[in-house]
Structures are given as C-alpha cells and as structure tokens.
C-alpha cells in the first residue's frame, strides 16, 4: 500500500459532529458484529495529558470500545474487535483511515497511513495504555462530511468479502 499524508489536526476544530464520521462509526460497529461500540466522537478538547488539540476536536476521530458492558459489546469481544481492526487496516486506503491506536498491551501500538504499518510503542506514548479497552480511529477529511460516501464504500467491501 502506498503511504498517504497524515492530517492530524491541521484542519482545525469542527463546530459539530461530522455526518461522515458518524456513518463510519455505524458501519464499523455493524462490521464488528457488535464487538465494538461508540465510546465517543466529536468533543473539542486537548489530547489527554498534553497541551495539543485532539483529533476528536476535528470531528474525525472515534473511540470504539470492545468492553462488554451491559447491553454494549459482546463477551470476549476483544478477539472479534481485533479481527475487525485487521480488516480495517487491510482496507485503510479505500476507507481513508489515517490512524488506529490500540491501548491494551504494554505502551500501546499505533497504525498510521503515512507509514502503512503498526508501530509498537517502547515507552509511554499514549495516555490510557496499558489496559485501555478501546481503539482510537481517525479518518481523512475527504469523507468526514460524506455519510453516503462511507455507506457506498462499506457496501462495496461487503459484496467483495465477508469479515
């Protein structure tokens, strides 16, 4: 896969939730068979523990938890969630995913579009690791306001292969 530019927060804070991001979240949660659920999208704030704007403020980030909590998630959801994350990485360019962070083990790990690979962090890098029971995902600006675009892309993937 060809590396793509990482946007970060260069597009600035959004004024509200972005409909393409919200559609992306619904599609991923459905794809996971209920293993992942929305633990938060748009909120204007800094990154936890840092004096830098969070990508959540742009309306292009989501935290998806795999924790089984009441009617959210499924028992032993991490395994199914990891399968979903692997599928998303496989199709990250098509889905315009820019970053995925996994907070569960060690100092966490992150996948980014500009390196097209996972990096396992060797020192404290992301707040919430270890033991964070969620994944942080960021999408590119081009689809953040295009719910129909995400619906079409996920529909195309569904017709090609099942998870």
């Amino acid at each position: 896969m060809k590396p793509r530019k990482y946007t970060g927060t260069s597009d600035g804070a959004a004024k509200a939730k972005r409909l393409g991001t919200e559609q992306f979240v619904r599609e991923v949660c459905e794809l996971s068979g209920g293993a992942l659920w929305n633990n938060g999208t748009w909120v204007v704030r800094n990154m936890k523990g840092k004096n830098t704007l969070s990508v959540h403020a742009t309306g292009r980030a989501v935290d998806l938890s795999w924790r089984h909590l009441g009617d959210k998630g499924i028992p032993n959801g991490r395994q199914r969630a990891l399968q979903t994350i692997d599928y998303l990485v496989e199709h990250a360019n098509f889905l315009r995913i820019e970053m995925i962070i996994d907070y569960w083990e060690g100092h966490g790990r992150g996948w980014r579009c500009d390196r097209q690979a996972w990096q396992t962090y060797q020192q404290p890098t992301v707040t919430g690791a270890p033991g964070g029971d969620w994944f942080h995902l960021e999408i590119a600006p081009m689809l953040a306001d295009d719910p129909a675009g995400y619906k079409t892309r996920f529909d195309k993937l569904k017709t090609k292969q099942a998870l």
Side-chain angles (χ1 to χ4, degrees):
M1 289 190 276
K2 184 178 178 186
R4 292 179 285 117
K5 183 181 177 195
Y6 174 68
T7 305
T9 58
S10 65
D11 54 338
K15 295 185 187 314
K17 288 184 178 188
R18 297 176 76 174
L19 298 180
T21 303
E22 299 304 311
Q23 183 65 38
F24 172 80
V25 171
R26 285 189 293 275
E27 296 288 345
V28 173
C29 291
E30 180 183 324
L31 181 69
S32 78
L36 291 168
W37 53 273
N38 185 354
N39 200 23
T41 56
W42 175 73
V43 60
V44 179
R45 64 167 175 81
N46 285 337
M47 285 191 269
K48 292 186 180 182
K50 298 181 180 175
N51 193 23
T52 305
L53 192 65
S54 167
V55 178
H56 283 281
T58 71
R60 296 182 297 100
V62 59
D63 291 331
L64 296 174
S65 182
W66 47 266
R67 173 180 7 135
H68 185 218
L69 180 66
D71 63 346
K72 297 178 181 178
I74 60 175
N76 302 312
R78 181 159 169 85
Q79 180 181 359
R80 176 65 185 205
L82 284 170
Q83 292 172 334
T84 303
I85 293 298
D86 288 345
Y87 185 84
L88 293 175
V89 166
E90 180 183 346
H91 299 287
N93 284 344
F94 181 65
L95 294 172
R96 307 311 286 178
I97 296 170
E98 291 195 350
M99 183 171 209
I100 302 172
I101 300 173
D102 180 357
Y103 299 83
W104 183 242
E105 295 178 357
H107 298 293
R109 65 185 181 130
W111 180 93
R112 274 195 26 180
C113 62
D114 55 355
R115 65 174 173 256
Q116 296 288 312
W118 285 99
Q119 176 182 358
T120 300
Y121 303 127
Q122 301 302 312
Q123 58 189 16
T125 304
V126 292
T127 303
D133 57 4
W134 72 94
F135 295 94
H136 170 89
L137 291 87
E138 299 173 13
I139 61 170
M142 71 175 282
L143 288 171
D145 297 311
D146 186 4
Y150 263 125
K151 176 108 178 76
T152 298
R153 286 173 189 248
F154 275 92
D155 286 348
K156 285 182 180 178
L157 288 177
K158 290 173 192 172
T159 60
K160 286 185 178 182
Q161 70 185 63
L163 178 62

